[in-house]
Amino acid sequence: MADTGDDPAVRVLVARIAENDDPAQDTALRRELAERCMPMATSVARRFRNRGESFDELVQVACLGLVKATQGFDARRGKDFVGYAVPTITGEVKRHFRDHGWQIRPPRRVQELRADVVRTGEELTQELGRSPRMSEIAARLEVDVDEVAECLASGESYHLRSIDAPVPSADGEVSIADSVGAAEPQYDLVEDIVSLRDALETVAPRERRILALRYFHELTQQQIAQEVGVTQMQVSRLLTRTHEQLRRELEQSGPE
């Protein structure tokens, strides 16, 4: 790291830590090492700019990683503090993005690709002298345009506006909540219906017919038995088995 890698003072501090046996002095030396390497932490944070977090926040996280590096570094086993600290700081920043960045978490592939999309967009903007088209970003990354569009759209999930945030209106300033309609109770059923429809594809035709007769036509088990040509006891067993099969399918397809 250019910011501190060639700094003789860093090498001197590492050597002093390696030779020191006084715990109190060790703490002071490691604190001095951290202060000396602050530019390195800032340099690491700079690599993660424009990904949804403020630069000041990234610097604070990188400095936390630097402190962890100075505390965990064994100077007697290795002299290359920078080689140890940079991965530690980088890991801390990446953990911050993973744990705190997304308020609505998109799939991991989108999170990982979005960083490349943002970086490539910045590079192409400098090269072309204008904002690049999604097709140009996709071509550079060798991915589909739809994937680039999904990554760019996911940026809206990074930081959410409060529902109480003010928005301009012809009637004056109102909150986002004021413009939101009342909740529709039937909307809660949509996800269940879609999931059940997919699960029903795994059910045999006869069992699907029995379910339809039971729950859509509201026939009794005895009436279903006469309609299908089996006994009422068989209808009962088939319904129980089908219910269990659907339950397993819905559990397997549910959120992780």
Side-chain angles (χ1 to χ4, degrees), residues 49-63:
R49 287 181 304 177
N50 303 321
R51 299 191 187 185
E53 291 286 283
S54 72
F55 182 59
D56 288 344
E57 178 73 15
L58 293 177
V59 170
Q60 290 182 27
V61 174
C63 288

